[in-house]
Amino acid sequence: MAAAELDGKVAIVTGASGGIGAAVVAALSAAGASVVAVDLDGAVSALEESAPGRVAALRGDVSDAGVAEQGVALARERFGGLDILVNNAARFLGKALIETSDEEWDGLFTTNVRSVFVQTRAALPQLIERRGAIVNLASISGVLGLPDQAAYCATKGAIVQITRQVAIQHARDGVRVNAIAPGAVDTLFVARSLGTEAQGAWIDDSIVASHPLGRVAQPEDIAEIVLFLASPRSSVMTGAIVMADCGYSVR
């Protein structure tokens, strides 16, 4: 992608301070876009400090409708509008359905699914006006049946269907909506889901062998796909679920 491919475009990225989120913010900014970076983690402010004038940080719960409206307002006030929404924020829960409490189920749906709902609802008027794009971060867990991920699989499956529904609903408005379904990505998010705080330490020979490409993805790999789906290069794509799993799902 040319460095100025997204010059003049404005994006909102949720879950912006995490591994994939931070990589997406950096990639969008490098491609010329201005970015509103939203996260509950106070570390999100460092993204603005690293790119003054290009990134605006907003700390808040992305599942809160008020925060979603604040993000759109900040995009308009600071950068003049909104063209791209990247719904990336998520939490993981590694439990079978029979072991999952009501509170855990509801909490995961709040973070992973309600956030996509309120952020998309808030952004759509601007995206319709500017014929923009939405990129949702789903997961192979939303497409495949995986053990000990009952609530997580359900939330990511919901994101797959939200993507398809909003895509068909707003195709005539010129708004494109696509999703990425990553597999294993070398982030602290994945490391913690596997019970370690050491990024990269969880990648052993068995994990590598389960991926036909012989590797797992890096956050920058997923960010490149986000860039493609947010850019005019993918102008004929909407409602697509892009598997980004180093071949895991086609074994």
Side-chain angles (χ1 to χ4, degrees):
M1 179 175 289
E5 178 118 23
L6 297 181
D7 191 37
K9 301 297 184 181
V10 182
I12 290 174
V13 178
T14 69
S17 64
I20 291 176
V24 169
V25 171
L28 289 170
S29 180
S34 300
V35 183
V36 173
V38 190
D39 203 301
L40 188 59
D41 191 328
V44 71
S45 61
L47 297 174
E48 181 170 359
E49 293 167 4
S50 67
R54 178 69 75 182
V55 176
L58 174 62
R59 185 178 183 184
D61 183 345
V62 297
S63 68
D64 186 300
V67 172
E69 295 289 350
Q70 289 174 38
V72 174
L74 183 58
R76 295 182 65 181
E77 292 165 9
R78 189 76 64 89
F79 304 121
L82 180 64
D83 305 278
I84 300 161
L85 171 64
V86 181
N87 283 309
N88 168 69
R91 291 192 296 114
F92 180 78
L93 180 67
K95 288 189 175 182
L97 188 144
I98 198 169
E99 299 168 346
T100 303
S101 70
D102 293 351
E103 293 75 19
E104 288 170 329
W105 183 273
D106 292 345
L108 210 69
F109 265 85
T110 295
T111 299
N112 294 6
V113 183
R114 179 183 166 88
S115 64
V116 176
F117 162 57
V118 299
Q119 295 288 333
T120 301
R121 184 178 61 184
L124 271 170
Q126 276 287 292
L127 296 178
I128 291 169
E129 180 179 324
R130 293 165 69 118
R131 300 179 73 83
I134 299 172
V135 183
N136 294 324
L137 270 294
S139 169
I140 60 169
S141 301
V143 180
L144 308 178
L146 297 174
D148 299 323
Q149 295 188 20
Y152 189 71
C153 283
T155 63
K156 291 300 184 175
I159 291 170
V160 166
Q161 285 303 95
I162 290 170
T163 298
R164 291 170 171 154
Q165 196 287 321
V166 180
I168 196 65
Q169 187 78 47
H170 293 285
R172 294 297 179 91
D173 296 321
V175 177
R176 296 184 305 105
V177 189
N178 295 289
I180 304 169
V185 184
D186 186 14
T187 62
L188 190 56
F189 177 91
V190 173
R192 285 172 175 164
S193 75
L194 296 173
T196 177
E197 291 288 325
Q199 186 175 332
W202 56 273
I203 305 172
D204 59 23
D205 290 344
S206 66
I207 290 176
V208 170
S210 69
H211 293 75
L213 290 181
R215 56 172 290 220
V216 301
Q218 296 297 316
E220 293 75 16
D221 297 321
I222 306 305
E224 284 296 322
I225 304 171
V226 172
L227 279 179
F228 173 70
L229 293 175
S231 79
R233 292 175 187 250
S234 59
S235 62
V236 298
M237 295 177 65
T238 197
I241 312 302
V242 180
M243 303 303 290
D245 59 3
C246 296
Y248 183 90
S249 59
V250 295
R251 294 174 302 160

